[in-house]
């Protein structure tokens, strides 16, 4: 696809969303198979991204059909709290793009309640000894924390401001400080999984997680850190978080191949035959736009320009605008290469962050995360 303007890209996105609205509104999607998005339970961690796309489109177009389609997703997700479920550290990914943004835009009090409920749940996963938020629910992973969690801290910062209760902010800051200390390496690369002794809080291991292995640099983890640390700066004004975000962004940029779309890990023995991860690229680009907003216009232009390079490359080389049979917007995403899951597919969060990045370039200021 040739070079489109940013406005043209948004119009292509809208066509895609309109085509897929009936199907995607009936399910909680994660990845595509043969071009069609799957269907998960609403307690799955990706259930908030499709409604998040709808809320962004409502803000960008003013069309009520997007608001109406997104309206009841927070209720659908909340209902599963009364059943045996799989909720964990990613409730921010589920309730920020549903309940919280719904409340911010419409003032709906039930949405506010649901957002605060989710924040209480997330705060309850905090390990005081290690000053980290526990990731998953398995008994053998009680001390495991992952870089993805820093993207969910915005839920806690919002809850603190909304309720007036500083405990949410205290937990978010404590975890963010742990990310700087134990996850982000000196060169700006990032660990995916850090294993703590849940009793003492001491670091006992580094797990490669969805990266190539211990010591590697999983590209989507880099993107989570770029965006998450920028958000922590926005919520606290503490410059150390902005510096951390910039350090990771510089590493991310330095590792990009010629077309500016990351491979799934930045420390592979060889890139030959290895898949890209367009979801990492989209998330990193949107995160770099957050960095740009935190800096002077001149300093921020560096990161805005890189975000534009990535977003245009995604459009020209990896979008499905000319493929009506594809429900996803971006191809060539990688969910979990070591687990052989979701390779060269569309991922709903990749599509979300792509839409978010394009909307920011068009002046959208209300960040969901």
């Amino acid at each position: 696809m040739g070079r489109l303007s940013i406005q043209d890209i948004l119009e292509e996105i809208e066509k895609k969303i309109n085509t897929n609205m009936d199907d995607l509104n009936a399910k909680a999607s994660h990845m595509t198979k043969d071009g069609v998005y799957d269907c998960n339970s609403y307690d799955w961690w990706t259930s908030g991204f499709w409604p998040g796309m709808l809320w962004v489109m409502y803000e960008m177009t003013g069309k009520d059909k997007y608001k109406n389609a997104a309206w009841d997703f927070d209720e659908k997700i909340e209902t599963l709290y009364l059943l045996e479920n799989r909720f964990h550290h990613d409730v921010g990914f589920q309730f920020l793009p549903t309940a919280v943004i719904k409340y911010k835009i419409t003032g709906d009090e039930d949405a506010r309640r649901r957002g605060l409920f989710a924040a209480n749940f997330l705060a309850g996963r905090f390990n005081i000894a290690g000053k980290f938020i526990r990731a998953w629910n398995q008994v053998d992973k009680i001390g495991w924390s992952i870089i993805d969690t820093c993207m969910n801290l915005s839920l806690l910062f919002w809850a603190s401001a909304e309720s007036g209760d500083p405990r949410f902010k205290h937990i978010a800051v404590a975890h963010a400080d742990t990310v700087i200390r134990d996850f982000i390496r000196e060169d700006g690369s990032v660990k995916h999984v850090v294993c703590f002794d849940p009793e003492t809080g001491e670091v006992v291991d580094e797990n490669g997680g969805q990266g190539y292995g211990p010591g590697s640099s999983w590209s989507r983890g880099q993107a989570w850190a770029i965006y998450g640390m920028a958000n922590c700066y926005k919520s606290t004004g503490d410059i150390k978080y902005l510096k951390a975000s910039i350090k990771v962004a510089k590493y991310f940029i330095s590792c990009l191949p010629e077309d500016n779309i990351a491979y799934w890990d930045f420390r592979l023995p060889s890139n030959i035959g290895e898949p890209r991860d367009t979801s990492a690229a989209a998330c990193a680009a949107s995160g770099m736009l957050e960095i740009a907003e935190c800096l002077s216009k001149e300093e921020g232009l560096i990161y805005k320009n890189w975000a534009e390079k990535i977003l245009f490359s995604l459009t020209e080389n990896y979008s499905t605008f000319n493929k009506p049979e594809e429900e996803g917007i971006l191809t060539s995403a990688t969910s979990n290469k070591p687990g052989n899951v979701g390779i060269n597919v569309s991922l709903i969060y990749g599509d979300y962050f792509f839409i978010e990045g394009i909307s920011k370039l068009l002046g959208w200021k209300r960040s969901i995360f």
Side-chain angles (χ1 to χ4, degrees):
M1 174 173 287
R3 176 61 63 100
L4 300 173
S5 71
I6 299 297
Q7 184 62 46
D8 288 337
I9 296 171
L10 184 68
E11 290 173 6
E12 291 295 330
I13 288 170
E14 185 173 9
K15 292 176 187 176
K16 202 79 177 176
I17 287 180
N18 289 343
T19 298
N20 297 331
M21 191 180 295
D22 288 343
D23 188 36
L24 268 63
N25 231 53
K27 56 192 182 185
S29 300
H30 182 191
M31 66 185 71
T32 57
K33 182 178 181 181
D34 299 325
V36 177
Y37 266 115
D38 57 5
C39 183
N40 290 284
S41 171
Y42 287 106
D43 61 348
W44 185 242
W45 75 275
T46 64
S47 58
F49 288 105
W50 168 250
M53 291 158 66
L54 295 172
W55 282 115
V56 175
M57 291 306 299
Y58 171 65
E59 292 251 275
M60 294 303 295
T61 68
K63 297 177 181 178
D64 284 342
K65 66 179 180 179
Y66 299 122
K67 178 183 70 173
N68 295 338
W71 186 265
D72 62 353
F73 271 88
D74 57 331
E75 182 178 358
K76 292 176 182 177
I77 297 170
E78 181 198 37
T79 300
L80 289 179
Y81 267 114
L82 301 176
L83 306 172
E84 185 176 355
N85 60 64
R86 298 174 291 179
F87 292 114
H88 49 56
H89 69 116
D90 276 336
V91 289
F93 279 135
Q94 294 167 292
F95 284 89
L96 284 166
T98 57
V100 176
I101 190 62
K102 177 180 172 180
Y103 170 65
K104 287 180 178 180
I105 293 174
T106 72
D108 183 78
E109 286 296 325
D110 280 333
R112 178 182 183 273
R113 173 183 58 77
R114 291 175 185 124
L116 291 173
F117 184 89
N120 267 305
F121 175 85
L122 183 59
R125 302 183 70 83
F126 184 66
N127 182 294
I128 297 174
K131 296 183 178 179
F132 67 88
I133 293 173
R134 176 185 176 183
W136 299 301
N137 296 332
Q138 295 93 326
V139 174
D140 62 341
K141 297 178 181 176
I142 291 175
W144 287 29
S145 186
I146 65 176
I147 193 62
D148 317 40
T149 306
C150 67
M151 283 294 292
N152 293 285
L153 299 181
S154 295
L155 180 65
L156 298 177
F157 285 121
W158 168 80
S160 189
E162 183 62 31
S163 68
D165 188 341
R167 68 190 175 96
F168 296 110
K169 177 181 67 177
H170 294 162
I171 290 171
V173 165
H175 182 88
D177 289 348
T178 298
V179 169
I180 291 178
R181 185 187 67 237
D182 295 324
F183 283 83
I184 301 176
R185 304 184 184 104
E186 189 59 35
D187 65 354
S189 64
V190 174
K191 304 170 187 176
H192 184 197
V193 182
V194 175
C195 306
F196 298 85
D197 183 319
E199 289 288 348
T200 68
E202 295 179 359
V203 175
V204 295
D205 198 9
E206 171 192 345
N207 187 311
Q210 287 170 240
Y212 179 74
S216 70
S217 175
W218 178 50
S219 60
R220 192 161 66 250
Q222 300 289 141
W224 296 144
I226 291 168
Y227 204 146
M229 289 292 100
N231 284 345
C232 288
Y233 172 73
K234 286 166 54 185
S235 295
T236 66
D238 193 327
I239 195 66
K240 67 184 176 185
Y241 301 126
L242 181 57
K243 288 181 177 179
S245 178
I246 290 172
K247 180 162 73 171
V248 179
K250 286 181 176 178
Y251 178 86
F252 190 100
I253 291 167
S254 73
C255 295
L256 290 176
E258 187 175 350
D259 70 352
N260 296 318
I261 305 305
Y263 288 93
W264 68 277
D265 195 295
F266 287 132
R267 288 183 173 163
L268 297 167
S270 170
N271 290 331
I272 297 174
E274 294 290 346
R276 307 297 179 104
D277 184 7
T278 54
S279 75
C283 180
S286 193
M288 288 178 199
L289 290 172
E290 294 298 324
I291 292 176
E293 286 293 313
C294 298
L295 298 171
S296 68
K297 185 175 182 180
E298 183 178 357
E299 292 176 310
L301 193 59
I302 297 170
Y303 299 98
K304 181 181 179 183
N305 286 344
W306 272 106
E308 288 181 345
K309 289 178 183 178
I310 293 169
L311 291 168
F312 275 118
S313 181
L314 287 171
T315 301
E316 294 164 11
N317 302 309
Y318 298 93
S319 71
T320 66
F321 296 145
N322 291 330
K323 299 177 181 178
E325 71 279 6
E326 295 273 350
E327 287 190 338
I329 294 173
L330 298 178
T331 63
S332 302
T334 301
S335 174
N336 185 347
K337 179 62 161 58
N340 197 33
V341 175
I343 301 168
N344 289 321
V345 297
S346 296
L347 294 172
I348 197 71
Y349 38 93
D351 289 354
Y352 168 81
F353 286 111
F354 178 67
I355 292 172
E356 191 184 71
I358 294 298
S359 297
K360 288 176 183 178
L361 290 178
L362 287 168
W364 182 63
K365 297 296 184 184
R366 193 204 303 274
S367 177
I368 285 180
F369 291 99

